[in-house]
């Protein structure tokens, strides 16, 4: 069933406008009487019936609402060392599909890409658009937020608001499963950029109680590691069942 995000309060009658309306009318060629799902972006789905169709506006009647069944019960924030090129776009898209709740790129000591204020905001807008499209495609119940790149120190401060902080370290550590024997409500995952973590960064994270995790004897690329870890976290916490 087609699915669209309409952030905010959804009443008994609602309209789709803009690109969403055009998609329903022209691409999907939907007609009055057919049904689709609206999501408020905060975990509630609304089953709706189309009452009228125009190229720039779709009128809908809400039939019922229910909690979204597609949201994981562990909120994972991915803190990703900013990679070069377009790798971040791939990371954002696949992380959202896998269930990440929030994505925070950070400027690591070994980050090669270091966009300035204006360029960083443009990148963040592009990443958020990709996240929104991925959330719609994968039928998420919320719209994960993608932040503009922040300094490493700020990323560390923000991560302390999570129940558990784990660092995917190419230099070794304990197996991921050892940290997930008790399911956390919120989890921060740190991934380094192409050059990996600087030893000082690992020391800072360890001093704050972060768990140092290995993903095995193979060294994964910066765009592969978060996807492998997210898949493992979702499996271990029962969110791939």
């Amino acid at each position: 069933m087609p699915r669209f995000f309409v952030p905010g309060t959804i009443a008994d009658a609602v309209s789709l406008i803009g690109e969403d309306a055009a998609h329903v009318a022209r691409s999907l060629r939907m007609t009055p009487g057919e049904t689709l799902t609206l999501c408020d972006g905060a975990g509630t789905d609304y089953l709706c019936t189309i009452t009228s169709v125009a190229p720039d506006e779709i009128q809908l009647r809400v039939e019922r609402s229910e909690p979204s069944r597609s949201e994981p019960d562990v909120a994972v924030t991915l803190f990703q060392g900013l990679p070069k090129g377009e790798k971040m776009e791939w990371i954002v898209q696949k992380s959202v599909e896998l269930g990440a709740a929030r994505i925070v790129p950070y400027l690591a000591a070994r980050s090669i890409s270091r966009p300035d204020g204006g360029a960083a905001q443009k990148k963040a807008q592009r990443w958020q658009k990709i996240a929104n499209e991925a959330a719609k495609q994968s039928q998420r119940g919320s719209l994960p937020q993608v932040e503009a790149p922040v300094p490493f120190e700020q990323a560390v401060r923000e991560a302390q608001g999570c129940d558990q902080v784990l660092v995917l370290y190419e230099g070794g550590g304990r197996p991921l499963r050892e940290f997930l024997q008790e399911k956390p409500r919120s989890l921060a995952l740190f991934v380094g950029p192409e050059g990996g973590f600087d030893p000082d960064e690992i020391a800072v994270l360890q001093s704050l109680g972060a768990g140092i995790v290995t993903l095995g004897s193979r060294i994964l690329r910066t765009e592969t590691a978060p996807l492998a870890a997210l898949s493992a976290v979702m499996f271990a916490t029962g969110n791939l069942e």
Side-chain angles (χ1 to χ4, degrees):
M1 183 182 297
R3 183 182 186 86
F4 299 88
F5 284 94
V6 182
T9 302
I10 297 179
D12 293 338
V14 65
S15 299
L16 281 180
I17 59 175
E19 293 182 2
D20 287 343
H23 185 66
V24 171
R26 297 170 184 168
S27 299
L28 299 178
R29 298 183 181 276
M30 298 185 76
T31 58
E34 293 189 273
T35 58
L36 53 77
T37 300
L38 299 184
C39 182
D40 62 4
T44 302
D45 291 342
Y46 297 80
L47 178 66
C48 301
T49 300
I50 298 174
T51 57
S52 68
V53 175
D56 57 353
E57 185 175 9
I58 307 299
Q59 294 285 343
L60 303 157
R61 181 179 67 250
V62 176
E63 305 294 352
R64 67 174 186 271
S65 65
E66 60 186 18
S68 173
R69 300 174 184 174
S70 59
E71 282 305 294
D73 59 3
V74 54
V76 180
T77 299
L78 172 63
F79 291 89
Q80 173 69 47
L82 189 63
K84 60 184 179 181
E86 298 179 354
K87 294 177 183 178
M88 194 66 201
E89 296 185 3
W90 167 270
I91 293 169
V92 167
Q93 183 186 64
K94 301 310 175 187
S95 296
V96 169
E97 289 179 26
L98 287 167
R102 183 171 173 243
I103 301 170
V104 182
Y106 68 92
L107 299 174
R110 296 178 180 175
S111 288
I112 298 171
S113 176
R114 293 183 175 274
D116 60 20
Q121 289 299 325
K122 287 184 179 179
K123 284 181 177 292
Q125 291 172 2
R126 168 67 177 162
W127 297 333
Q128 188 63 63
K129 182 177 180 181
I130 290 170
N132 293 351
E133 292 171 350
K136 186 185 298 183
Q137 179 274 320
S138 58
Q139 299 198 354
R140 291 287 302 270
S142 66
L143 287 173
Q145 294 301 301
V146 186
E147 309 296 340
V150 301
F152 171 74
E153 296 77 12
Q154 181 177 336
V156 171
R157 288 195 300 271
E158 293 187 17
Q160 292 179 67
C162 294
D163 292 341
Q164 191 172 37
V165 181
L166 299 179
V167 183
L168 309 183
Y169 186 35
E170 67 278 3
R174 292 162 54 195
L176 181 60
R177 66 176 180 274
E178 293 186 10
F179 294 98
L180 297 174
Q181 293 179 5
E182 294 185 9
K183 184 190 296 186
R185 291 172 300 174
S186 58
L187 173 66
L189 283 179
F190 270 85
V191 180
E194 288 91 348
F197 285 99
D198 183 271
D200 289 343
E201 293 171 336
I202 293 295
V204 168
L205 288 162
Q206 281 185 306
S207 71
L208 297 172
I212 307 301
V213 176
T214 177
L215 291 180
S217 58
R218 296 166 301 282
I219 302 299
L220 304 182
R221 293 178 181 272
T222 188
E223 66 269 31
T224 307
L227 309 185
L230 277 166
S231 298
V233 167
M234 293 302 165
F235 177 78
T237 57
N239 284 293
L240 285 181
E241 297 177 359

